[in-house]
């Protein structure tokens, strides 16, 4: 099933309002046509998919229903953060626990974990590179999400942060800065390759 309705609801638009917004963007489409697309009673042409994707700032595959939805991804992360899933390739519970422990005080953690809505807001903001529509559209299952989240929240971040902290952007030579940034890039690629 496509995600047109999901993205429309996230923008808090009715069918009529979405039709009006699209018309403002030089794309005339009736509320009835949108409803048929949402329910799968009619299949949009590729050009229509692209215009809808542009409006929602999402890739066509995500809009068509490929990959994980944002809600699915957040729900998995919520379960991992609470230690509810133990059979994973990476020890994602420990990775997330270490990440939260090293970056946030108890007061902030209570705010983040107050409920799933606040957790979702935090994850979408803090882990934009993981929870955006483009990234999610490439993830076929929970293992893909787990791998990417482990890379972003895991020890690679501490390594990168330490390397960045070692740069004195005012006083270091361009050669030294380029060398450190090159090493960071190499470390990231090596880590990703070793965890595919």
């Amino acid at each position: 099933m496509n995600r047109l309705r999901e993205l429309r609801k996230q923008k808090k638009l009715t069918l009529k309002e979405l039709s009006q917004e699209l018309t403002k963007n030089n794309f005339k489409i009736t509320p009835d046509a949108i409803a048929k697309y949402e329910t799968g009673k009619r299949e949009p042409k590729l050009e229509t998919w692209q215009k809808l994707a542009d409006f929602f700032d999402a890739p066509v595959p995500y809009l068509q229903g490929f990959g994980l939805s944002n809600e699915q991804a957040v729900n998995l992360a919520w379960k991992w953060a609470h230690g509810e899933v133990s059979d994973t390739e990476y020890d994602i519970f420990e990775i997330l626990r270490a990440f939260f422990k090293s970056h946030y005080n108890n007061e902030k953690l209570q705010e983040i974990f107050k409920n799933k809505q606040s957790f979702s807001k935090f994850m979408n903001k803090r882990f934009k590179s993981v929870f955006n529509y483009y990234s999610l559209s490439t993830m076929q299952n929970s293992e893909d999400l787990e791998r990417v989240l482990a890379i972003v929240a895991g020890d690679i971040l501490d390594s990168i942060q330490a390397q960045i902290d070692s740069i004195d952007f005012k006083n270091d030579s361009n050669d030294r800065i380029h060398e450190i940034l090159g090493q960071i890039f190499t470390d990231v690629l090596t880590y990703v390759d070793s965890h595919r």
Side-chain angles (χ1 to χ4, degrees):
M1 181 59 88
N2 71 58
R3 297 192 173 107
L4 184 54
R5 185 173 196 273
E6 169 196 324
L7 295 180
R8 177 176 62 81
K9 291 288 188 183
Q10 283 177 9
K11 285 193 173 270
K12 298 182 169 113
L13 296 172
T14 64
L15 290 167
K16 184 178 179 181
E17 290 168 338
L18 176 57
S19 173
Q20 292 168 344
E21 289 298 315
L22 290 168
T23 300
K24 289 179 192 174
N25 290 322
N26 298 320
F27 179 47
K28 190 162 175 58
I29 186 169
T30 66
D32 184 56
I34 297 169
K36 287 179 180 172
Y37 293 156
E38 285 184 359
T39 59
K41 291 180 181 173
R42 221 168 115 190
E43 184 68 22
K45 293 179 183 176
L46 185 56
E47 178 185 332
T48 302
W49 277 123
Q50 190 57 61
K51 288 181 179 181
L52 290 167
D54 290 345
F55 176 79
F56 288 111
D57 194 23
V60 171
Y62 184 85
L63 193 58
Q64 290 174 325
F66 294 101
L68 296 175
S69 72
N70 185 271
E71 184 179 354
Q72 289 170 320
V74 169
N75 285 340
L76 283 167
W78 175 263
K79 288 179 180 178
W80 288 331
H82 287 84
E84 294 175 18
V85 180
S86 58
D87 186 25
T88 60
E89 183 179 346
Y90 306 90
D91 194 353
I92 197 77
F93 172 68
E94 288 301 323
I95 290 169
L96 288 175
R97 195 168 108 181
F99 170 81
F100 284 115
K101 188 176 180 181
S102 65
H103 290 83
Y104 301 99
N105 62 30
N106 285 338
E107 185 179 318
K108 182 64 177 173
L109 289 174
Q110 286 177 351
E111 182 184 321
I112 293 168
F113 287 95
K114 181 172 53 176
N115 54 43
K116 202 180 286 186
Q117 184 179 3
S118 61
F119 180 77
S120 175
K121 185 177 178 182
F122 170 82
M123 294 301 278
N124 279 294
K125 184 177 180 182
R126 179 62 176 85
F127 293 104
K128 284 183 202 171
S129 63
V130 177
F131 290 90
N132 67 70
Y133 300 136
Y134 291 88
S135 179
L136 291 170
S137 69
T138 66
M139 296 180 195
Q140 300 305 312
N141 50 44
S142 63
E143 288 81 20
D144 289 346
L145 173 63
E146 181 182 353
R147 177 179 46 80
V148 175
L149 196 54
I151 290 167
V152 175
D155 55 0
I156 187 93
L157 277 185
D158 294 333
S159 168
I160 290 170
Q161 190 62 55
Q163 291 177 67
I164 290 173
D165 289 345
S166 75
I167 299 173
D168 181 348
F169 285 97
K170 287 185 179 179
N171 299 315
D172 285 344
S173 69
N174 283 341
D175 288 342
R176 181 180 183 320
I177 293 170
H178 289 152
E179 180 183 333
I180 294 172
L181 294 177
Q183 184 59 50
I184 291 170
F185 186 68
T186 302
D187 289 349
V188 169
L189 290 180
T190 302
Y191 190 91
V192 169
D193 282 345
S194 69
H195 289 81
R196 281 188 178 174

